[in-house]
């Protein structure tokens, strides 16, 4: 028997719990005797703590303890220096958590944190990235493990010989992840075991880090991530909250809840690095690229190296015989940048897809046609065929749906009253990877099934997708299947990140269900007679043996904008994306992922900008009043479509991952549309009205 749950638009399994408020998040579980932690940020950029006066805080009724480097429980030095918290007096950046106040009420903890007196010995600092920063260096590799630089052919010769050349530098500012649920943990010690409810994209790395830091066997640490209110990468590895809560709970010998404030989410949990990107393109008179070079400059902290893979996008996107990509990094006195939706591809595509638009104008070729003309038959660096590559199909389908064919390429040719109207296009790609996972499937005597996997649903609909996949793999209606995720007591699986959740987890779920069906063949009617039957699998060997062929999801973005010729105000009338991302498990949740990514890309194009003040070495706009994020009213019409794509080289479910592809290319499509509307090319995001205000009024 086979069913067809995959491909159907089921609502989220936990939707009712979420909208009625009964779904529990990390600091919402009822816990007897719970206390509250409040993190204290460093008030200097670089230096040492010379004195901590805890007396005024401890004098406050309800305050139980003030933990700092002088009195905190000791941690074993781990591989992750950012988690070695409250162990030493050094301050590496403003906002680093250097103390925690624990109290019987949230209010007392907060007031206690205000009363802690800390003296510092502060030194000079450097916090602003520049293209000629003296600290620039070449990292050994870039995130997660790409080569730092690549070169094929002879870029300089190829560039010099070409009749058409473009040399442009693009800049993107720092961006801050702002999941609705902040980073938050409830930590409880019970008989030497540690239980944490943590807001994380994956329990396994949290469990591993806590075991190492507190010198416990892994089985003594349990991490529960039942419901998580977003992450976008910022919860992709263990963060300060979980360590601080565990330290505090050990110190006061009571359960501790610790959640970051919104302002603290702009602090030590990671942000997208600012980028400075030089793109050079050379082409023949027909727009065929002959040389491509993408040089990226980004920042990291003094604590830990994070090198965003900004130029990696350019390595496989368009064909050209002469190519190079480079990454340089400056180590600054700032919090460590980290993952934010499509790290690398997102800012990289803004630069390359803007440059392609500039080239299209320079050679007088339609920007859709220019991309089609330069679509490579094989990976331009590796020389290998793609498992499937449907960028051209996305561009054609998008152009048809958007109504691109009649476009007059002349900038500033269309207007509606004061509004200048323009349209733009951009390509997009994101790797389609998978990692090893375990899963277990159980048959119950009553004909029901239980599927267990330590996957994490950070709001994407992963729980529902896996339930659908399991039903089809078991060959039963989904109503007979129960799915359990979000608990380190379940078979271990990787984090919800890198658009690898569904590909990795469904792989293990399908194999576990297949193994169970095999075992049930021996039982009458395929139902266990006495007790349950369970099959547990791990896909490590199978994943390792997968072919090394390049595999990517693709997309094409189309945008229509209007720009007020007097004020420079930019509004996005329409966003339309077409994606090729393998099989779509659930159209409802898939659409949400695509348009969520596109909305975040719109936010990047027009609104978001982390502004750092070198005098104080800190973000100036660290709240949602001053750090602008696109709201519903900014998105007038947004559509996501996908093409039917069958790719047998990927994984048993045939999926490519959809969490990140939606943001890649969106900002470039909007920037290109703004250029078409106005004739003004903005090469540093966001596209604010003050950058456009010099527009002459309409004639
Ligand atoms: Mo996503 S930035 O891979 O969590």
């Amino acid at each position: 028997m086979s069913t067809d749950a995959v491909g159907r638009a089921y609502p989220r399994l936990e939707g009712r719990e979420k909208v009625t408020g009964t779904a529990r998040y990390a600091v919402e579980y009822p816990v007897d005797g719970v206390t509250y932690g409040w993190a204290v940020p460093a008030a200097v950029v670089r230096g040492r703590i010379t004195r901590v006066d805890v007396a005024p805080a401890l004098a406050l009724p309800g305050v139980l303890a003030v933990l700092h480097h002088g009195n905190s429980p000791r941690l074993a030095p781990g591989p992750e220096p950012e988690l070695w918290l409250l162990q030493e007096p050094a301050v590496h950046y403003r906002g680093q958590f250097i103390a925690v106040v624990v109290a019987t009420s949230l209010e007392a903890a907060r007031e206690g944190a205000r009363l802690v007196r800390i003296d510092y010995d502060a030194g000079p600092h450097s916090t602003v990235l520049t293209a000629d920063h003296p600290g620039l260096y070449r990292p050994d590799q870039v995130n997660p493990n790409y080569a730092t630089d690549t070169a094929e052919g002879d870029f300089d010769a190829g560039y010099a010989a070409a009749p058409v050349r473009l040399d442009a530098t693009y800049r993107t500012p720092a961006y801050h992840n702002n999941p609705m649920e902040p980073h938050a943990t409830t930590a409880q010690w019970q008989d030497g075991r540690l239980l944490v409810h943590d807001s994380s994209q994956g329990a396994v790395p949290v469990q591993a880090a806590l075991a190492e830091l507190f010198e416990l066997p892994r089985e003594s640490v349990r991490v529960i991530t039942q419901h998580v209110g977003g992450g976008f990468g910022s919860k992709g590895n263990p963060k300060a909250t979980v360590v601080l809560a565990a330290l505090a709970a050990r110190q006061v010998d009571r359960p501790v809840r610790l959640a970051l404030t919104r302002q603290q989410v702009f602090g030590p949990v990671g942000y997208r690095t600012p980028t400075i990107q030089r793109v050079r393109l050379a082409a023949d008179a027909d727009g065929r690229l002959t040389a491509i070079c993408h040089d990226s400059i980004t920042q990291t902290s003094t604590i830990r190296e994070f090198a965003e893979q900004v130029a990696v996008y350019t390595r496989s996107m368009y064909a050209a015989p002469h190519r190079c990509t480079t990454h340089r990094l400056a180590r600054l006195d700032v919090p460590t940048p980290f993952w934010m939706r499509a790290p690398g591809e997102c800012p990289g595509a803004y630069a390359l897809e803007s440059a392609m638009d500039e080239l299209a104008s320079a050679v007088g070729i339609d920007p859709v046609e220019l991309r089609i003309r330069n679509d490579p038959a094989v990976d331009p660096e590796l020389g290998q065929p793609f498992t499937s590559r449907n960028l051209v199909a996305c561009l054609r389908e998008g152009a048809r749906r958007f109504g691109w064919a009649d476009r007059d390429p002349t900038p500033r040719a269309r207007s509606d009253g004061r509004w200048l109207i323009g349209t733009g296009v951009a390509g997009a790609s994101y790797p389609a990877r998978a990692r090893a996972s375990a899963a277990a499937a159980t048959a119950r005597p009553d004909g029901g099934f239980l599927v267990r996997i330590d996957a994490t649903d950070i709001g994407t609909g992963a729980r529902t997708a896996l339930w659908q996949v399991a039903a089809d793999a078991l060959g039963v209606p989904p109503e007979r299947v129960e799915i359990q995720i979000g608990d380190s007591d379940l078979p271990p699986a990787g984090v919800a990140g890198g658009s690898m959740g569904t590909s990795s987890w469904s792989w293990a779920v399908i194999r576990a269900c297949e193994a169970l069906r095999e075992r049930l063949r021996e039982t009458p009617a395929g139902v266990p007679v006495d007790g349950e039957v369970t099959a547990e699998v791990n896909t490590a060997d199978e994943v390792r043996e997968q072919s090394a062929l390049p595999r990517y999801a693709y997309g094409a973005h189309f945008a229509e904008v209007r720009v007020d010729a007097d004020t420079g105000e930019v509004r996005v009338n329409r966003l339309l994306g077409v994606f090729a991302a393998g099989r779509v498990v659930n159209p409802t949740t898939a659409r949400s992922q695509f348009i969520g990514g596109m909305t975040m890309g719109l936010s990047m194009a027009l609104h978001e900008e982390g502004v750092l003040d070198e005098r104080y070495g800190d973000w100036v706009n660290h709240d949602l009043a001053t750090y602008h994020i696109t709201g519903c009213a900014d998105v007038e019409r947004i559509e996501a479509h996908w093409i039917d794509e069958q790719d047998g080289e990927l994984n048993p479910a045939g999926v490519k991952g959809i969490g990140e592809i939606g943001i890649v290319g969106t900002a470039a499509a909007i920037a290109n549309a703004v250029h078409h509307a106005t004739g003004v090319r903005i090469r540093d995001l966001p596209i604010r009205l003050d950058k456009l205000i010099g527009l002459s009024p309409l004639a």
Side-chain angles (χ1 to χ4, degrees), residues 3-11 464-465 467-468 472 478-479 584-590:
T3 62
D4 57 352
V6 169
R8 285 187 185 232
Y10 289 96
T464 312
W467 171 76
Q468 293 172 243
D472 282 6
E479 294 70 29
V584 168
V585 176
N586 184 320
T588 299
T589 53

Side-chain angles (χ1 to χ4, degrees), residues 201 232-234 236 339-343 430 496-499 660:
Q201 289 173 229
F232 308 109
S234 73
W339 301 333
M340 182 170 183
R341 209 168 195 165
Y430 192 81
S499 296
E660 280 154 293

Side-chain angles (χ1 to χ4, degrees), residues 74-76 78-80 83 85 185-189 192-198 202-218 220-224 238-247 250 488:
R74 294 292 98 190
L75 295 171
E80 179 47 83
L83 297 180
L85 289 151
T185 306
T186 304
Q188 308 177 62
W189 290 90
R193 298 195 64 202
L194 175 59
L195 168 65
V196 296
H197 290 82
D198 191 37
V204 169
V206 176
Q207 183 191 39
L210 292 174
E212 188 154 6
L213 289 166
F214 289 93
E215 297 181 277
L216 299 166
R218 283 213 189 180
S220 296
V221 180
R222 185 175 177 195
V223 181
I224 295 178
K239 294 294 170 174
T241 34
V242 73
V243 177
L244 294 177
L247 280 171
R250 172 162 269 190
S488 64

